[in-house]
Amino acid sequence: MVKKRKGKSKRGIDPGEPEEVSNAPHTFVIKRGKIGKHGTQLMLDMRRVMEPNTASSLKVKKKNVIKDFLAVASIFHVTNLIVLTRTSKAMYMRFCKIPHGPTLVFKVEKYSLCRDVISSLRKAVVVPNLHVFAPFLVMNGFSKSSTEDMKTTLMTTLFQEMFPAIDVKAVKITALKRCVLLNYDEQTNTLEFRHFVIRIKPVGISKPIKKLVCGKRLPNLGSLASVEEIFEKNIALSESEGEGLDEVEEERHVTLPQTVPTRGNLLNERSAIRLTELGPRMTLKLIKIEDGLMKGNVLFKA
């Protein structure tokens, strides 16, 4: 009996990736030279940020050159390149557009790894399928008045093309699990990089009911004679179970236009958006912009 080939259509043609996957921007995150233990971990953290549209387990050897990554870029639909390097003075991060540039060169002035940011939280955040969907980009400080400035225009365009565009009318709320915030200070040429997980919590219901609906574990109700006693005795949960259930500012209240598969969040009802930082956290200073891929004429220099 002849075995059928796996991964092939009936006509023997590989169906390939879905169109939305192949058309999405993809990024290689690599290092050049020795960048130290913490620098290597920062590279791995950036790969986690760019998932799923990146090569999370990409192996970089000493003999590899940039041309090696460019040679396979088209095969894997790679459109951008992030390169970490280190000198005796500082660490640098380059954001490149493949294949012809431009290249933005930033000095990493300060950074905190994901493990450092998460360890500072009072409570660990566990969200299923967190890295199945790519993060969306939020930009602040790239004002309209600054678009006449060449460096701001190049930064805006390059960063926007690193993340998938959002169709507001067709996007599903369940796909918006993470966001990357870039805050640019034009006076100092510094860029603040933040990475958050997005959660939706119900609002407008009493605390006892919220504890029952949103708590991880139900309290012991064996001693109660009726449901009314929940409100009368205000059944208490532990600090970890009740944490994060407080009301938030009304500016973060939204009316859900879609069904969200989390407890307490109902269609056309009010809920609150909560952001929890995941890391890495970076302060980057723009050093220069080159019109090519890590070479070419210098368009801007600090």
Side-chain angles (χ1 to χ4, degrees), residues 170-240:
V171 67
K172 295 183 179 179
I173 296 180
T174 53
L176 304 178
K177 293 182 178 293
R178 296 182 294 136
C179 72
V180 170
L181 171 62
L182 298 180
N183 182 45
Y184 177 60
D185 187 340
E186 190 175 8
Q187 300 298 324
T188 60
N189 281 327
T190 55
L191 188 73
E192 298 291 337
F193 180 99
R194 299 289 188 272
H195 178 218
F196 298 93
V197 59
I198 303 172
R199 293 181 295 164
I200 301 177
K201 296 290 184 179
V203 294
I205 56 179
S206 61
K207 287 188 177 181
I209 295 298
K210 185 177 291 186
K211 292 177 181 179
L212 290 174
V213 173
C214 300
K216 289 186 177 180
R217 298 188 299 272
L218 289 175
N220 185 6
L221 305 177
S223 60
L224 303 181
S226 64
V227 178
E228 287 79 4
E229 293 188 23
I230 297 177
F231 304 94
E232 295 174 358
K233 296 184 179 181
N234 192 14
I235 299 299
L237 277 71
S238 64
E239 182 180 354
S240 61

Side-chain angles (χ1 to χ4, degrees), residues 168-169 171-173 176 200 254-260 266-271 273:
V168 179
K169 296 182 180 179
V171 67
K172 295 183 179 179
I173 296 180
L176 304 178
I200 301 177
V254 296
T255 301
L256 295 179
Q258 302 173 11
T259 302
V260 179
L266 303 176
L267 179 66
N268 296 326
E269 295 294 335
R270 301 285 287 177
S271 294
I273 298 176

